[in-house]
Amino acid sequence: MERPIAYDKLAREDRFVRKRAREIGEMRIEQGLPPMADLASRESIRERVHGILVGELQAMEGAGRTVCDFPDAPWEFTLDMARQVWDESRHVEVYLGLIDHLGGYVGEFPESTILWRCACAEDAAARVAGVNRGLEGLACDVFNQLVHIARKIGDPIIERAVDFVLADEITHVRMGSKWLNELTKGDPERRRRAIEFQETIDERFNLGGVRLDGDHEEVAISIAKEARRLAGFTDEEIERLIRSTQRSPVY
Amino acid sequence: MSAHPLAGDFSVEASAQRVRHYRYAEERLMRTLGGWIALTPELPVKLLFGRHVWDCAQHADLWGRRLPELRSPAQQSEPANERFVRFMDLLDAREGRGESPQRVVGVYRVLKPHLVATYERHLAAANPLYEPPTRRILERCIAEERRHVAAGAAVLERLLRDDDSRARAATWERRLYEALAEAGGVTGESPTPPLAVDVAGVDPADDLVALDSVFDAGVIATDLRAEVDAHARALVEDDLPALAGQIAESARVTVLATYEDLGPAGRCDVVAQARVGAHRFVGARRSAPSPRRSVPEGARRQPR
Ligand SMILES: [Fe+2]
Ligand SMILES: [Fe+2]
């Protein structure tokens, strides 16, 4: 099999419509909508949940590629990635169920492949830093907030299901921290590049002021400090992330 | 094997060697399935592979951890011979779009049934007094691989919808089986490698996700649907004046030129609708020769 594969080989059924994230954001802004669906109504929650569904698909596909692309990596690393593939496949199933629960359908909103592109880094250490710490960290923020909102609007189905997914994501971040350290042991340059890659991802997914340190009901994506601590981010890393959200360019 | 309870078919060394062969197959299959997930469009197939990557990883891990107990280094994979490597290369190389049936056939009609049958034979021969650690792993692998085979059969049934695709799948299955036979199977010892495809009584429900989930064109609003249908009809009838009238002026020249390049359409089916605020993107698939693409902007806008 070809290793690694090109970005544009990501395969989808016909019912998925693919658009660039920037194009989707611009179309929303043109119509007076926020660049990304908020959690203010059941309909916008449905749109957010659909975005998470395609994110989970890409997370599964990315972890699968990592299992495939690095046959010389330590066996325990591959084992963790294989476990993650299974977890993400169940997350897809959970979010398929939630889309149904919210009265939506698969393909209702366009898919952008921005997460998948991050999962195509050529170095395994950069991949775990970027995907497991950057993107799964973002997932912790998004899911933690969704659990809170679900509790507030009295939807125990969303609350319980997403809370279990959040528990898995925290585990995935921990795996990322562990393997970032293990894979770069004795190679500070490789470590520096991997962390730099993670930081570009963190920066990109601040989404120009969409992700902030703020109350669940007041900001579009609220940084989940407690979940991030549980996942193994240091206080200093969390502070650095918060500072980076304050200097992100407007979308 | 003699009837004595302490008689055995396999020496410690031969057992370790078999275990390394099994580990090679499970590990390679894990990597193949992992790599294929992104390349496979159909949701149920994608998710089937996603589920089974972890099972294969655990099988490889169990075999790998058994090795030091057999005076052999842990976590080592070893193919039975070069021909088994070629068999795996052949199976793994079906990575093109549209090759999902071949991928499923290779794994769920050939390799996994062969592993089940080989594990079953091994279990029947493994000594119950001094080989229970191996027997436990065999029992677990057999149960899980049988479930995989059953799930693969359910998915394959939906992938192979016409005689043509069934014939192609059968040809591929024969070719792979021949390669497996040349290798002597996973152990290198079976000129006619056994296959266990009978999965009667096995419930694969836990491995099947979104099996019958498809796009429902009923989600498209009635007035937009009428416009889309008219456009599809004009495409099939190659009705240029109608097409020109349906396309926004700003895009007309480009879109008509594209249609001309593609030639006449045999069929045109609506396959997707996504929205961004009040915008609608409707996806349509033309029958050969063109791949699917979106209906142009002018035909797909409508207020919320
Ligand atoms: Fe996930
Ligand atoms: Fe995850």
Side-chain angles (χ1 to χ4, degrees), chain A residues 215-228:
Chain A
D215 192 81
H216 290 311
E217 282 133 75
E218 269 151 33
V219 300
I221 296 178
S222 150
I223 294 175
K225 286 181 283 198
E226 204 38 57
R228 280 178 174 270

Side-chain angles (χ1 to χ4, degrees), chain B:
Chain B
M1 189 167 64
S2 88
H4 194 286
L6 291 176
D9 272 9
F10 307 106
S11 67
V12 171
E13 287 71 27
S15 289
Q17 193 180 44
R18 270 186 167 247
V19 167
R20 285 194 296 274
H21 297 338
Y22 296 161
R23 190 180 187 281
Y24 175 81
E26 296 277 9
E27 183 196 345
R28 259 210 83 171
L29 182 54
M30 165 199 76
R31 294 193 198 277
T32 298
L33 291 173
W36 277 347
I37 296 171
L39 301 168
T40 301
E42 302 85 356
L43 215 43
V45 188
K46 201 184 265 301
L47 290 162
L48 185 77
F49 294 166
R51 289 256 196 294
H52 293 172
V53 165
W54 174 234
D55 287 344
C56 291
Q58 287 176 99
H59 299 171
D61 189 57
L62 286 167
W63 289 129
R65 281 192 277 140
R66 175 70 178 131
L67 282 168
E69 301 163 2
L70 298 167
R71 298 194 295 259
S72 201
Q75 303 298 358
Q76 287 199 344
S77 293
E78 183 196 357
N81 52 50
E82 263 314 299
R83 294 177 307 278
F84 191 76
V85 177
R86 280 204 293 279
F87 161 76
M88 288 302 298
D89 289 344
L90 190 65
L91 181 142
D92 171 283
R94 302 312 290 256
E95 56 184 294
R97 206 190 150 86
E99 293 192 316
S100 300
Q102 282 78 1
R103 294 196 270 273
V104 175
V105 162
V107 174
Y108 298 92
R109 295 275 311 167
V110 181
L111 181 54
K112 281 182 181 284
H114 173 59
L115 288 175
V116 173
T118 306
Y119 289 157
E120 280 172 341
R121 285 186 181 188
H122 189 162
L123 181 64
N127 186 287
L129 277 177
Y130 46 76
E131 293 188 89
T134 297
R135 294 174 62 92
R136 290 237 174 140
I137 302 172
L138 285 168
E139 281 161 358
R140 173 167 169 191
C141 290
I142 290 167
E144 292 183 358
E145 296 293 358
R146 274 168 63 81
R147 203 188 69 231
H148 293 187
V149 172
V155 166
L156 195 61
E157 193 186 301
R158 281 154 178 89
L159 279 179
L160 303 178
R161 291 189 182 278
D162 53 67
D163 291 345
D164 229 38
S165 62
R166 278 189 286 272
R168 273 199 307 276
T171 306
W172 177 238
E173 186 178 330
R174 273 195 303 278
R175 184 161 165 224
L176 269 180
Y177 182 79
E178 281 161 19
L180 183 67
E182 273 168 38
V186 64
T187 61
E189 292 167 355
S190 314
T192 50
L195 300 178
V197 284
D198 179 17
V199 284
V202 181
D203 180 9
D206 284 351
D207 284 352
L208 301 172
V209 181
L211 201 55
D212 296 307
S213 155
V214 289
F215 175 71
D216 171 12
V219 297
I220 301 175
T222 319
D223 49 349
L224 178 61
R225 183 66 205 262
E227 283 187 56
V228 169
D229 284 345
H231 196 69
R233 216 169 25 250
L235 264 175
V236 172
E237 290 165 3
D238 207 18
D239 182 348
L240 276 176
L243 286 172
Q246 290 158 354
I247 302 167
E249 201 183 333
S250 58
R252 194 172 292 151
V253 174
T254 322
V255 173
L256 287 178
T258 310
Y259 284 170
E260 200 171 335
D261 286 348
L262 292 169
R267 282 178 65 119
C268 188
D269 300 304
V270 176
V271 292
Q273 176 188 259
R275 63 193 179 87
V276 177
H279 288 265
R280 298 291 181 276
F281 299 93
V282 177
R285 174 180 274 285
R286 289 163 50 115
S287 61
S290 81
R292 166 210 165 186
R293 60 182 160 55
S294 290
V295 171
E297 190 90 357
R300 68 184 175 217
R301 286 186 184 212
Q302 75 149 28
R304 199 185 327 219

Side-chain angles (χ1 to χ4, degrees), chain A residues 44-81:
Chain A
S44 61
I45 291 175
R46 191 165 87 217
E47 183 164 355
R48 176 73 70 88
V49 163
H50 193 281
I52 298 172
L53 167 75
V54 295
E56 296 289 5
L57 270 173
Q58 292 174 30
M60 171 177 71
E61 294 163 322
R65 284 312 303 189
T66 300
V67 168
C68 173
D69 289 345
F70 304 108
D72 300 324
W75 173 244
E76 290 71 21
F77 168 75
T78 303
L79 212 50
D80 273 351
M81 294 298 115

Side-chain angles (χ1 to χ4, degrees), chain A residues 18-233:
Chain A
R18 192 172 296 175
K19 291 278 157 204
R20 295 190 71 87
R22 177 168 296 276
E23 195 186 338
I24 298 170
E26 283 166 0
M27 285 181 79
R28 292 182 58 90
I29 290 167
E30 267 170 32
Q31 298 175 71
L33 299 166
M36 191 180 161
D38 55 29
L39 301 171
S41 68
R42 219 169 157 77
E43 184 166 322
S44 61
I45 291 175
R46 191 165 87 217
E47 183 164 355
R48 176 73 70 88
V49 163
H50 193 281
I52 298 172
L53 167 75
V54 295
E56 296 289 5
L57 270 173
Q58 292 174 30
M60 171 177 71
E61 294 163 322
R65 284 312 303 189
T66 300
V67 168
C68 173
D69 289 345
F70 304 108
D72 300 324
W75 173 244
E76 290 71 21
F77 168 75
T78 303
L79 212 50
D80 273 351
M81 294 298 115
R83 167 60 196 246
Q84 191 181 332
V85 174
W86 183 49
D87 292 347
E88 306 298 3
S89 84
R90 286 180 288 103
H91 298 173
V92 171
E93 191 178 358
V94 166
Y95 281 101
L96 285 170
L98 288 181
I99 281 176
D100 224 37
H101 170 68
L102 289 162
Y105 62 90
V106 175
E108 185 175 5
F109 304 96
E111 174 181 18
S112 84
T113 52
I114 189 162
L115 301 177
W116 163 250
R117 282 164 180 268
C118 298
C120 292
E122 286 189 21
D123 177 39
R127 246 189 238 188
V128 287
V131 175
N132 287 64
R133 305 191 89 235
L135 296 178
E136 308 265 355
L138 171 73
C140 290
D141 298 335
V142 171
F143 298 172
N144 185 58
Q145 187 173 16
L146 189 51
V147 170
H148 176 90
I149 299 286
R151 195 175 298 136
K152 192 179 155 237
I153 62 173
D155 191 323
I157 301 292
I158 298 180
E159 183 189 340
R160 179 60 55 83
V162 177
D163 204 24
F164 266 96
V165 177
L166 173 60
D168 285 343
E169 303 302 2
I170 289 173
T171 308
H172 298 168
V173 177
R174 272 196 217 121
M175 285 176 186
S177 304
K178 173 185 166 187
W179 288 110
L180 170 64
N181 289 335
E182 293 283 327
L183 295 175
T184 62
K185 215 173 245 171
D187 190 345
E189 177 54 23
R190 188 180 179 197
R191 183 182 171 82
R192 190 189 60 74
R193 273 184 314 211
I195 290 175
E196 224 170 72
F197 180 62
Q198 183 199 325
E199 284 172 352
T200 61
I201 286 176
D202 283 340
E203 188 89 33
R204 185 184 297 182
F205 286 94
N206 287 335
L207 299 166
V210 171
R211 173 163 67 180
L212 288 167
D213 177 27
D215 192 81
H216 290 311
E217 282 133 75
E218 269 151 33
V219 300
I221 296 178
S222 150
I223 294 175
K225 286 181 283 198
E226 204 38 57
R228 280 178 174 270
R229 262 180 220 118
L230 256 178
F233 284 107

